[in-house]
PDB file of all heavy atoms in Angstrom:
ATOM      1  N   ARG A  16       0.568   0.255  24.938  1.00 92.00           N
ATOM      2  CA  ARG A  16       1.593  -0.779  24.845  1.00 92.00           C
ATOM      3  C   ARG A  16       2.560  -0.680  26.025  1.00 92.00           C
ATOM      4  O   ARG A  16       3.029   0.397  26.358  1.00 92.00           O
ATOM      5  CB  ARG A  16       2.352  -0.658  23.523  1.00 92.00           C
ATOM      6  CG  ARG A  16       1.513  -1.025  22.318  1.00 92.00           C
ATOM      7  CD  ARG A  16       2.282  -0.820  21.027  1.00 92.00           C
ATOM      8  NE  ARG A  16       2.592   0.586  20.818  1.00 92.00           N
ATOM      9  CZ  ARG A  16       3.500   1.037  19.951  1.00 92.00           C
ATOM     10  NH1 ARG A  16       4.203   0.158  19.240  1.00 92.00           N
ATOM     11  NH2 ARG A  16       3.714   2.326  19.801  1.00 92.00           N
ATOM     12  N   TYR A  73       8.490  -2.694  28.707  1.00 68.00           N
ATOM     13  CA  TYR A  73       8.261  -2.812  27.265  1.00 68.00           C
ATOM     14  C   TYR A  73       8.912  -1.650  26.538  1.00 68.00           C
ATOM     15  O   TYR A  73       8.643  -0.492  26.843  1.00 68.00           O
ATOM     16  CB  TYR A  73       6.769  -2.832  26.974  1.00 68.00           C
ATOM     17  CG  TYR A  73       6.432  -2.751  25.494  1.00 68.00           C
ATOM     18  CD1 TYR A  73       6.561  -3.861  24.668  1.00 68.00           C
ATOM     19  CD2 TYR A  73       6.000  -1.556  24.931  1.00 68.00           C
ATOM     20  CE1 TYR A  73       6.267  -3.793  23.325  1.00 68.00           C
ATOM     21  CE2 TYR A  73       5.694  -1.481  23.586  1.00 68.00           C
ATOM     22  CZ  TYR A  73       5.826  -2.597  22.782  1.00 68.00           C
ATOM     23  OH  TYR A  73       5.525  -2.523  21.449  1.00 68.00           O
ATOM     24  N   GLU A  79       8.145  -2.475  15.426  1.00 92.00           N
ATOM     25  CA  GLU A  79       6.872  -2.333  16.123  1.00 92.00           C
ATOM     26  C   GLU A  79       6.333  -0.913  16.001  1.00 92.00           C
ATOM     27  O   GLU A  79       5.130  -0.703  15.835  1.00 92.00           O
ATOM     28  CB  GLU A  79       7.034  -2.724  17.588  1.00 92.00           C
ATOM     29  CG  GLU A  79       7.224  -4.212  17.792  1.00 92.00           C
ATOM     30  CD  GLU A  79       7.642  -4.569  19.204  1.00 92.00           C
ATOM     31  OE1 GLU A  79       8.196  -3.685  19.906  1.00 92.00           O
ATOM     32  OE2 GLU A  79       7.414  -5.715  19.618  1.00 92.00           O
ATOM     33  N   GLU A  80       7.231   0.058  16.072  1.00 94.00           N
ATOM     34  CA  GLU A  80       6.803   1.452  15.911  1.00 94.00           C
ATOM     35  C   GLU A  80       6.300   1.705  14.491  1.00 94.00           C
ATOM     36  O   GLU A  80       5.324   2.425  14.280  1.00 94.00           O
ATOM     37  CB  GLU A  80       7.957   2.401  16.238  1.00 94.00           C
ATOM     38  CG  GLU A  80       8.105   2.693  17.719  1.00 94.00           C
ATOM     39  CD  GLU A  80       6.819   3.240  18.324  1.00 94.00           C
ATOM     40  OE1 GLU A  80       6.397   4.353  17.960  1.00 94.00           O
ATOM     41  OE2 GLU A  80       6.217   2.540  19.146  1.00 94.00           O
ATOM     42  N   THR A  82       4.860  -0.494  12.628  1.00 96.00           N
ATOM     43  CA  THR A  82       3.534  -1.110  12.559  1.00 96.00           C
ATOM     44  C   THR A  82       2.488  -0.234  13.228  1.00 96.00           C
ATOM     45  O   THR A  82       1.351  -0.129  12.746  1.00 96.00           O
ATOM     46  CB  THR A  82       3.557  -2.499  13.227  1.00 96.00           C
ATOM     47  OG1 THR A  82       4.562  -3.305  12.616  1.00 96.00           O
ATOM     48  CG2 THR A  82       2.209  -3.199  13.077  1.00 96.00           C
ATOM     49  N   ALA A  83       2.861   0.424  14.331  1.00 97.00           N
ATOM     50  CA  ALA A  83       1.919   1.310  15.018  1.00 97.00           C
ATOM     51  C   ALA A  83       1.569   2.510  14.144  1.00 97.00           C
ATOM     52  O   ALA A  83       0.405   2.929  14.080  1.00 97.00           O
ATOM     53  CB  ALA A  83       2.509   1.776  16.347  1.00 97.00           C
ATOM     54  N   VAL A  84       2.572   3.062  13.470  1.00 97.00           N
ATOM     55  CA  VAL A  84       2.319   4.178  12.545  1.00 97.00           C
ATOM     56  C   VAL A  84       1.395   3.717  11.429  1.00 97.00           C
ATOM     57  O   VAL A  84       0.449   4.427  11.045  1.00 97.00           O
ATOM     58  CB  VAL A  84       3.645   4.718  11.964  1.00 97.00           C
ATOM     59  CG1 VAL A  84       3.375   5.692  10.813  1.00 97.00           C
ATOM     60  CG2 VAL A  84       4.460   5.409  13.051  1.00 97.00           C
ATOM     61  N   ALA A  86      -0.853   1.333  11.571  1.00 98.00           N
ATOM     62  CA  ALA A  86      -2.205   1.172  12.107  1.00 98.00           C
ATOM     63  C   ALA A  86      -2.892   2.526  12.256  1.00 98.00           C
ATOM     64  O   ALA A  86      -4.087   2.663  11.965  1.00 98.00           O
ATOM     65  CB  ALA A  86      -2.156   0.452  13.454  1.00 98.00           C
ATOM     66  N   MET A 114      -9.207   3.662  18.744  1.00 98.00           N
ATOM     67  CA  MET A 114      -8.446   2.426  18.630  1.00 98.00           C
ATOM     68  C   MET A 114      -7.427   2.364  19.761  1.00 98.00           C
ATOM     69  O   MET A 114      -6.669   3.319  19.966  1.00 98.00           O
ATOM     70  CB  MET A 114      -7.717   2.330  17.288  1.00 98.00           C
ATOM     71  CG  MET A 114      -6.880   1.052  17.129  1.00 98.00           C
ATOM     72  SD  MET A 114      -6.249   0.807  15.434  1.00 98.00           S
ATOM     73  CE  MET A 114      -5.080   2.179  15.319  1.00 98.00           C
ATOM     74  N   LEU A 116      -4.149   0.495  21.144  1.00 96.00           N
ATOM     75  CA  LEU A 116      -3.032  -0.396  20.881  1.00 96.00           C
ATOM     76  C   LEU A 116      -2.502  -0.870  22.223  1.00 96.00           C
ATOM     77  O   LEU A 116      -2.248  -0.059  23.108  1.00 96.00           O
ATOM     78  CB  LEU A 116      -1.913   0.336  20.120  1.00 96.00           C
ATOM     79  CG  LEU A 116      -2.296   1.020  18.803  1.00 96.00           C
ATOM     80  CD1 LEU A 116      -1.075   1.704  18.202  1.00 96.00           C
ATOM     81  CD2 LEU A 116      -2.899   0.029  17.819  1.00 96.00           C
ATOM     82  N   PHE A 117      -2.365  -2.174  22.388  1.00 94.00           N
ATOM     83  CA  PHE A 117      -1.878  -2.677  23.661  1.00 94.00           C
ATOM     84  C   PHE A 117      -0.913  -3.832  23.434  1.00 94.00           C
ATOM     85  O   PHE A 117      -0.816  -4.375  22.331  1.00 94.00           O
ATOM     86  CB  PHE A 117      -3.038  -3.117  24.563  1.00 94.00           C
ATOM     87  CG  PHE A 117      -3.773  -4.349  24.114  1.00 94.00           C
ATOM     88  CD1 PHE A 117      -3.439  -5.600  24.614  1.00 94.00           C
ATOM     89  CD2 PHE A 117      -4.814  -4.268  23.189  1.00 94.00           C
ATOM     90  CE1 PHE A 117      -4.107  -6.748  24.203  1.00 94.00           C
ATOM     91  CE2 PHE A 117      -5.492  -5.403  22.770  1.00 94.00           C
ATOM     92  CZ  PHE A 117      -5.131  -6.649  23.282  1.00 94.00           C
ATOM     93  N   SER A 118      -0.203  -4.175  24.470  1.00 90.00           N
ATOM     94  CA  SER A 118       0.693  -5.331  24.416  1.00 90.00           C
ATOM     95  C   SER A 118       0.474  -6.153  25.670  1.00 90.00           C
ATOM     96  O   SER A 118       0.441  -5.622  26.767  1.00 90.00           O
ATOM     97  CB  SER A 118       2.159  -4.885  24.323  1.00 90.00           C
ATOM     98  OG  SER A 118       2.519  -4.089  25.449  1.00 90.00           O
ATOM     99  N   ILE A 145      -6.420  -3.804  19.663  1.00 96.00           N
ATOM    100  CA  ILE A 145      -5.529  -4.669  18.899  1.00 96.00           C
ATOM    101  C   ILE A 145      -4.136  -4.701  19.502  1.00 96.00           C
ATOM    102  O   ILE A 145      -3.569  -3.652  19.827  1.00 96.00           O
ATOM    103  CB  ILE A 145      -5.473  -4.232  17.415  1.00 96.00           C
ATOM    104  CG1 ILE A 145      -4.593  -5.189  16.606  1.00 96.00           C
ATOM    105  CG2 ILE A 145      -4.993  -2.801  17.270  1.00 96.00           C
ATOM    106  CD1 ILE A 145      -4.724  -5.002  15.103  1.00 96.00           C
ATOM    107  N   ASP A 146      -3.639  -5.904  19.705  1.00 94.00           N
ATOM    108  CA  ASP A 146      -2.235  -6.121  20.017  1.00 94.00           C
ATOM    109  C   ASP A 146      -1.560  -6.339  18.669  1.00 94.00           C
ATOM    110  O   ASP A 146      -1.888  -7.287  17.946  1.00 94.00           O
ATOM    111  CB  ASP A 146      -2.070  -7.338  20.929  1.00 94.00           C
ATOM    112  CG  ASP A 146      -0.631  -7.549  21.368  1.00 94.00           C
ATOM    113  OD1 ASP A 146       0.276  -7.379  20.524  1.00 94.00           O
ATOM    114  OD2 ASP A 146      -0.411  -7.910  22.540  1.00 94.00           O
ATOM    115  N   LEU A 147      -0.629  -5.473  18.309  1.00 94.00           N
ATOM    116  CA  LEU A 147      -0.062  -5.488  16.969  1.00 94.00           C
ATOM    117  C   LEU A 147       0.733  -6.754  16.663  1.00 94.00           C
ATOM    118  O   LEU A 147       1.044  -7.019  15.496  1.00 94.00           O
ATOM    119  CB  LEU A 147       0.818  -4.246  16.755  1.00 94.00           C
ATOM    120  CG  LEU A 147       0.058  -2.913  16.830  1.00 94.00           C
ATOM    121  CD1 LEU A 147       1.031  -1.746  16.707  1.00 94.00           C
ATOM    122  CD2 LEU A 147      -1.004  -2.825  15.737  1.00 94.00           C
ATOM    123  N   SER A 148       1.041  -7.550  17.689  1.00 92.00           N
ATOM    124  CA  SER A 148       1.709  -8.830  17.438  1.00 92.00           C
ATOM    125  C   SER A 148       0.815  -9.768  16.636  1.00 92.00           C
ATOM    126  O   SER A 148       1.279 -10.746  16.050  1.00 92.00           O
ATOM    127  CB  SER A 148       2.114  -9.493  18.757  1.00 92.00           C
ATOM    128  OG  SER A 148       0.979  -9.819  19.539  1.00 92.00           O
ATOM    129  N   PHE A 149      -0.479  -9.470  16.607  1.00 93.00           N
ATOM    130  CA  PHE A 149      -1.429 -10.273  15.833  1.00 93.00           C
ATOM    131  C   PHE A 149      -1.024 -10.344  14.366  1.00 93.00           C
ATOM    132  O   PHE A 149      -1.188 -11.381  13.715  1.00 93.00           O
ATOM    133  CB  PHE A 149      -2.821  -9.665  15.968  1.00 93.00           C
ATOM    134  CG  PHE A 149      -3.903 -10.439  15.271  1.00 93.00           C
ATOM    135  CD1 PHE A 149      -4.492 -11.539  15.877  1.00 93.00           C
ATOM    136  CD2 PHE A 149      -4.352 -10.061  14.008  1.00 93.00           C
ATOM    137  CE1 PHE A 149      -5.501 -12.252  15.236  1.00 93.00           C
ATOM    138  CE2 PHE A 149      -5.359 -10.769  13.367  1.00 93.00           C
ATOM    139  CZ  PHE A 149      -5.937 -11.865  13.987  1.00 93.00           C
ATOM    140  N   PHE A 150      -0.493  -9.246  13.830  1.00 94.00           N
ATOM    141  CA  PHE A 150      -0.115  -9.234  12.424  1.00 94.00           C
ATOM    142  C   PHE A 150       1.025 -10.220  12.148  1.00 94.00           C
ATOM    143  O   PHE A 150       1.027 -10.905  11.116  1.00 94.00           O
ATOM    144  CB  PHE A 150       0.291  -7.822  11.998  1.00 94.00           C
ATOM    145  CG  PHE A 150      -0.829  -6.829  12.041  1.00 94.00           C
ATOM    146  CD1 PHE A 150      -0.588  -5.490  12.321  1.00 94.00           C
ATOM    147  CD2 PHE A 150      -2.143  -7.214  11.810  1.00 94.00           C
ATOM    148  CE1 PHE A 150      -1.620  -4.564  12.364  1.00 94.00           C
ATOM    149  CE2 PHE A 150      -3.188  -6.304  11.850  1.00 94.00           C
ATOM    150  CZ  PHE A 150      -2.920  -4.970  12.127  1.00 94.00           C
ATOM    151  N   SER A 151       1.970 -10.296  13.057  1.00 92.00           N
ATOM    152  CA  SER A 151       3.058 -11.264  12.893  1.00 92.00           C
ATOM    153  C   SER A 151       2.525 -12.684  12.919  1.00 92.00           C
ATOM    154  O   SER A 151       2.977 -13.556  12.162  1.00 92.00           O
ATOM    155  CB  SER A 151       4.098 -11.081  13.998  1.00 92.00           C
ATOM    156  OG  SER A 151       4.701  -9.800  13.927  1.00 92.00           O
ATOM    157  N   GLU A 152       1.535 -12.921  13.787  1.00 91.00           N
ATOM    158  CA  GLU A 152       0.953 -14.258  13.871  1.00 91.00           C
ATOM    159  C   GLU A 152       0.152 -14.588  12.617  1.00 91.00           C
ATOM    160  O   GLU A 152       0.071 -15.747  12.206  1.00 91.00           O
ATOM    161  CB  GLU A 152       0.078 -14.381  15.117  1.00 91.00           C
ATOM    162  CG  GLU A 152       0.854 -14.352  16.416  1.00 91.00           C
ATOM    163  CD  GLU A 152       1.918 -15.439  16.495  1.00 91.00           C
ATOM    164  OE1 GLU A 152       1.698 -16.536  15.935  1.00 91.00           O
ATOM    165  OE2 GLU A 152       2.960 -15.188  17.108  1.00 91.00           O
ATOM    166  N   ILE A 169      -8.064  -4.294  10.428  1.00 98.00           N
ATOM    167  CA  ILE A 169      -8.500  -3.055  11.086  1.00 98.00           C
ATOM    168  C   ILE A 169      -9.816  -2.579  10.478  1.00 98.00           C
ATOM    169  O   ILE A 169     -10.755  -2.201  11.191  1.00 98.00           O
ATOM    170  CB  ILE A 169      -7.416  -1.972  10.959  1.00 98.00           C
ATOM    171  CG1 ILE A 169      -6.152  -2.404  11.718  1.00 98.00           C
ATOM    172  CG2 ILE A 169      -7.931  -0.619  11.483  1.00 98.00           C
ATOM    173  CD1 ILE A 169      -4.966  -1.470  11.539  1.00 98.00           C
TER     174      ILE A 169
END
Side-chain angles (χ1 to χ4, degrees):
R16 291 177 295 164
Y73 172 77
E79 289 169 337
E80 276 304 294
T82 304
V84 169
M114 179 170 68
L116 305 179
F117 69 95
S118 60
I145 183 168
D146 184 319
L147 297 176
S148 64
F149 183 83
F150 295 149
S151 297
E152 291 303 327
I169 295 174

